[in-house]
Amino acid sequence: MTTALLRPPPLPTARGPLSAAVLTALRDGTETHVPVPPDPYGDDLQLALYTLYELHYQGFAGVPEHLEWDPGLLALRARLEDGFLEVLRADVPVRPDDTPEAALDELQVEPTDGSGVSYFLRDHGTLRHAREYAALRSLYHLKEADPHAWVIPRLRGRAKAAMVAVEYDEFGAGRADEIHAQLFADLMADLGLDTAYGTYLDAAPAEALATVNLMSLFGLHRSLRGALVGHFATVEVTSSPASRRLARALERLGAGPAAVRFYTEHVEADAVHEQVVRHDVVAGLLEHEPHLAGDVVFGVRATTYLEDRLAQRLLGAWRAGGTALRSGYSESAGAG
């Protein structure tokens, strides 16, 4: 087992006036008075939001821990969240007759042209592509189950019991070396990447940040518990077939047993989790709170929408012979 370093990461580099103001506030405790940028999906806003959310996870080196609940920073975060949610709701509208069952069924219809990231990596990917993918996804996978755990006290009955059962597996079923975030750190080590938490934040484009911000947004708000369940269900429904392709990609590239194991573990575990989530977490939630059906659908579609945006970024760069990492990062993905 490769142990991820348990130290807060350094603050990232600003990407505009908003993120610069947030970083200055975290360093110096100064007020943040800047206009919210017009593009909710852009680098400046997504980095600012990611940085504010990270105060609820591992924090940052040199940033006082009490700032997690600073009223000024929370007020700014609320403004950013409102803009992010507004554009998401516009881009993934939910009709009154949309149902969670239909939304989840749609996820099981895979593209006939094999156009997704996992297909590309399986059939055409190089070791560089695999390392870039792992570096960018580390922002998600090194905290994989954490934001979903925030919904547990907001559920009841079989929804809560089933959610805890799935999360128990995500957190290693009582074994530290089997925690899925640890398995991903082991994958990164096999690929020659730095396993320290937050290492690749500056390398990650806005599209990658948005996928992580979404689950933090849903997890931190009780009012979005239905959307978080939709996010969680989407992850579990889509994970198994994609993980099978990614395992084959890493086997073909000779990435090493730990790298392959992360995905083979998800092939087996998530095939079971899918059924538990659909029939107990989602159905159990709606049994008690049927009015949240639209929120579940929104969570499913918002997750898919942002994942598709990230896939377009990755595939566009790779098919053009370039890198999906932000400017200033080498093709080696910052290997240690």
Side-chain angles (χ1 to χ4, degrees):
M1 180 180 79
T2 301
T3 303
L5 299 179
L6 298 179
R7 63 167 184 259
L11 283 166
T13 302
R15 304 186 190 180
L18 176 61
S19 52
V22 168
L23 295 171
T24 298
L26 294 179
R27 290 189 189 99
D28 306 334
T30 55
E31 294 288 326
T32 53
H33 298 291
V34 292
V36 174
D39 181 8
Y41 295 131
D43 272 295
D44 195 21
L45 186 143
Q46 288 297 325
L47 178 63
L49 194 53
Y50 186 99
T51 303
L52 292 170
Y53 283 145
E54 196 57 40
L55 300 178
H56 299 289
Y57 293 103
Q58 300 298 319
F60 292 99
V63 174
E65 294 189 352
H66 72 269
L67 290 181
E68 177 184 3
W69 299 109
D70 178 81
L73 293 174
L74 291 175
L76 174 60
R77 196 189 82 192
R79 291 170 59 206
L80 306 187
E81 290 174 330
D82 287 345
F84 189 28
L85 268 175
E86 182 179 3
V87 71
L88 274 173
R89 291 192 187 280
D91 287 335
V92 290
V94 177
R95 300 184 307 271
D97 59 341
D98 287 332
T99 66
E101 294 83 359
L104 293 174
D105 286 344
E106 291 170 4
L107 298 177
Q108 295 183 310
V109 180
E110 299 207 300
T112 57
D113 59 356
S115 58
V117 171
S118 61
Y119 290 97
F120 179 92
L121 289 170
R122 183 193 65 185
D123 299 334
H124 311 292
T126 65
L127 192 56
R128 173 177 72 84
H129 295 137
R131 298 177 78 246
E132 282 192 13
Y133 183 72
L136 295 181
R137 295 301 281 181
S138 68
L139 301 182
Y140 178 100
H141 283 301
L142 292 182
K143 62 163 63 80
E144 180 175 358
D146 295 345
H148 293 142
W150 279 323
V151 82
I152 291 171
R154 298 160 184 169
L155 301 175
R156 66 180 72 180
R158 66 188 176 106
K160 175 177 281 192
M163 187 77 190
V164 170
V166 176
E167 287 284 87
Y168 180 68
D169 287 346
E170 298 288 341
F171 288 120
R175 292 184 54 186
D177 59 333
E178 294 293 318
I179 293 174
H180 285 191
Q182 178 60 57
L183 296 181
F184 195 80
D186 297 340
L187 172 151
M188 295 177 73
D190 255 9
L191 291 173
L193 297 171
D194 189 334
T195 64
Y197 184 92
T199 293
Y200 298 102
L201 176 54
D202 280 333
E207 293 87 349
L209 300 184
T211 63
V212 185
N213 285 340
L214 184 72
M215 62 181 186
S216 296
L217 169 63
F218 290 166
L220 283 166
H221 292 274
R222 181 181 176 275
S223 62
L224 294 171
R225 62 195 178 279
L228 183 67
V229 167
H231 182 284
F232 186 63
T234 304
V235 172
E236 298 301 332
V237 167
T238 59
S239 174
S240 186
S243 292
R244 183 176 290 106
R245 290 187 288 271
L246 291 168
R248 290 175 181 170
L250 293 173
E251 287 172 344
R252 177 176 62 81
L253 296 171
V260 173
R261 185 179 176 230
F262 176 80
Y263 289 111
T264 56
E265 169 71 15
H266 281 71
V267 171
E268 299 169 5
D270 290 346
V272 175
H273 292 169
E274 174 194 344
Q275 298 304 313
V276 175
V277 171
R278 286 184 67 129
H279 299 299
D280 292 313
V281 179
V282 174
L285 169 72
L286 299 179
E287 183 177 69
H288 290 285
E289 300 185 280
H291 63 284
L292 294 180
D295 287 349
V296 175
V297 175
F298 172 65
V300 171
R301 293 187 177 161
T303 303
T304 304
Y305 180 73
L306 293 182
E307 288 291 341
D308 286 347
R309 284 174 55 89
L310 175 58
Q312 291 168 12
R313 168 78 183 224
L314 295 170
L315 294 173
W318 292 345
R319 287 171 178 160
T323 176
L325 306 181
R326 292 184 69 241
S327 177
Y329 281 81
S330 70
E331 293 182 351
S332 66

